Amino acid sequence: MKATTCNCKFILQLQLSSNLYPLSISRQINFPLLHQRRPRLRFTDSTDGSRGTILAVRGGERVHVSGWDEKPYEILDNGKKAYLDEADIVTFLDPPKDLIPLDPSSYNPAAYLWKKIEDIPEERRYRLLELLNPRLISRAWQIAGTRYEDPKLVKKTASKLCSEDGGMLEYYDCRTSGGSMPIAWINIFKKAIFSCKDGKTYGRFIGGSFLSAFANSLCPLYFEVRQVKEVMLTEQPCDLAYDFGDGLLDLEEYPQGFPRPVKHPYPFSDQVVLYIRHLGPGVLVGQAWQEGKALEQVPQKLCGEILMVKDNVALS
């Protein structure tokens, strides 16, 4: 079915009255009403929960729509729900050409993205794995890089295991943005992060399919989590590094049911490091590099960027 074209003009004014991230964007768009994406952006104030103002102009008549009257979703023609906060993130990562900030230097893109992820209930954040295509996952990595320009935002973390509050075990659902991985199930997989009594944090990759269960026990792909400030090759800022080493971690304890560490298969045994940026509460984005043991070896990306969303159901 063809999407019908609407000649209506929409003027959207977005304001975030937060003392942390002042922001003002406006746009005027003529667009086809595609059910896949509605060009709608709004903010929730971080202090009083007020909504942005939306003005719809139809034949000269202006209608004020209160954010409090809005439902968090719209019903599509096929009866499915399209949640608006998730749609806002997709629109922000892949904006229409008419969406131009009044002053690009007046706001921080990572701050907006963080706030929109925060607005999504924890039990719905997994939908980002379905909605963000490979190009948008790579775009999310780029936008996360602007977070380091804000001294207040850079102190926030996506995971309790990376904060002073601590934690014991977290699971994440992960998806790469493409590239040929040496193990097929690594393109869509789970990740576990856990802390030990030695004060260090470790993790492992876990295959998501039935056929990968055997591989999980043979090569559990453990890594050590380290705090770093930049990607070694590109010198781009980041928060963490997952250092795979040779896989033979000397762990005194690990979560119940986890196999013992064994030596990694190639290429994970060839100095593979996954660099991580915090994107929002419970959401991370990373780049995997095969840095190589040989001095003459040229480091290369192991795959595209990786989106990671915390699984809040796994431990409930």
Side-chain angles (χ1 to χ4, degrees):
M1 178 184 293
K2 280 190 174 179
T4 58
T5 300
C6 174
N7 294 321
C8 302
K9 293 182 178 179
F10 285 74
I11 299 175
L12 285 77
Q13 294 181 330
L14 299 82
Q15 291 187 329
L16 173 63
S17 56
S18 167
N19 58 349
L20 294 180
Y21 316 118
L23 171 62
S24 179
I25 303 176
S26 68
R27 57 175 172 158
Q28 180 171 333
I29 308 172
N30 292 312
F31 61 95
L33 290 176
L34 300 177
H35 66 76
Q36 290 90 344
R37 186 202 313 154
R38 185 168 105 182
R40 164 198 170 278
L41 297 175
R42 62 179 171 77
F43 287 90
T44 302
D45 191 288
S46 59
T47 55
D48 61 13
S50 61
R51 298 288 186 181
T53 301
I54 300 176
L55 295 177
V57 182
R58 294 184 178 88
E61 179 185 358
R62 295 194 175 192
V63 181
H64 176 266
V65 180
S66 170
W68 294 107
D69 297 332
E70 292 185 21
K71 293 182 179 180
Y73 59 84
E74 60 183 1
I75 304 298
L76 304 180
D77 293 340
N78 59 10
K80 293 184 178 180
K81 294 179 180 179
Y83 288 94
L84 303 180
D85 286 322
E86 290 90 320
D88 285 352
I89 291 177
V90 174
T91 302
F92 184 71
L93 292 174
D94 187 20
K97 293 182 180 179
D98 297 41
L99 181 59
I100 303 174
L102 294 176
D103 182 3
S105 63
S106 66
Y107 79 107
N108 185 304
Y112 172 76
L113 199 54
W114 190 285
K115 186 64 182 136
K116 292 308 300 182
I117 293 174
E118 192 172 46
D119 286 345
I120 300 174
E122 290 181 347
E123 64 272 13
R124 281 207 334 253
R125 288 177 189 157
Y126 77 92
R127 291 173 50 82
L128 294 174
L129 294 164
E130 305 170 0
L131 295 173
L132 300 191
N133 62 36
R135 182 172 59 86
L136 299 188
I137 294 176
S138 298
R139 176 65 177 151
W141 168 267
Q142 296 172 2
I143 288 182
T146 65
R147 173 173 151 271
Y148 306 96
E149 301 169 5
D150 188 317
K152 294 181 179 179
L153 184 61
V154 77
K155 293 180 181 179
K156 292 189 175 184
T157 62
S159 165
K160 289 184 178 180
L161 280 169
C162 304
S163 66
E164 294 180 356
D165 295 337
M168 290 302 296
L169 177 64
E170 293 179 349
Y171 285 98
Y172 288 77
D173 292 305
C174 309
R175 176 189 174 189
T176 72
S177 65
S180 56
M181 287 291 277
I183 301 177
W185 58 256
I186 291 293
N187 287 308
I188 299 177
F189 60 98
K190 294 186 76 72
K191 176 191 75 174
I193 299 291
F194 58 95
S195 58
C196 292
K197 292 181 180 179
D198 61 5
K200 295 181 179 180
T201 302
Y202 304 92
R204 60 173 292 224
F205 283 179
I206 306 171
S209 68
F210 175 78
L211 293 177
S212 64
F214 183 64
N216 287 335
S217 60
L218 290 181
C219 50
L221 297 180
Y222 283 98
F223 53 80
E224 182 178 349
V225 180
R226 296 185 290 107
Q227 291 191 355
V228 297
K229 293 185 177 181
E230 62 182 30
V231 180
M232 186 189 73
L233 184 66
T234 65
E235 297 184 350
Q236 293 179 344
C238 66
D239 300 292
L240 303 168
Y242 296 169
D243 191 345
F244 282 82
D246 59 7
L248 298 175
L249 296 175
D250 185 19
L251 299 179
E252 296 182 0
E253 57 180 350
Y254 33 82
Q256 184 177 2
F258 278 29
R260 287 187 171 275
V262 299
K263 188 174 182 179
H264 289 323
Y266 182 86
F268 290 94
S269 59
D270 192 28
Q271 200 57 44
V272 168
V273 181
L274 179 58
Y275 294 96
I276 300 295
R277 287 175 173 174
H278 298 296
L279 191 63
V283 183
L284 306 158
V285 64
Q287 280 188 345
W289 288 85
Q290 182 180 347
E291 298 179 348
K293 294 181 179 179
L295 295 177
E296 67 277 7
Q297 185 172 341
V298 178
Q300 60 182 355
K301 287 183 70 174
L302 193 63
C303 65
E305 282 70 29
I306 304 174
L307 181 67
M308 311 172 188
V309 180
K310 186 178 178 182
D311 184 354
N312 293 286
V313 178
L315 296 177
S316 61

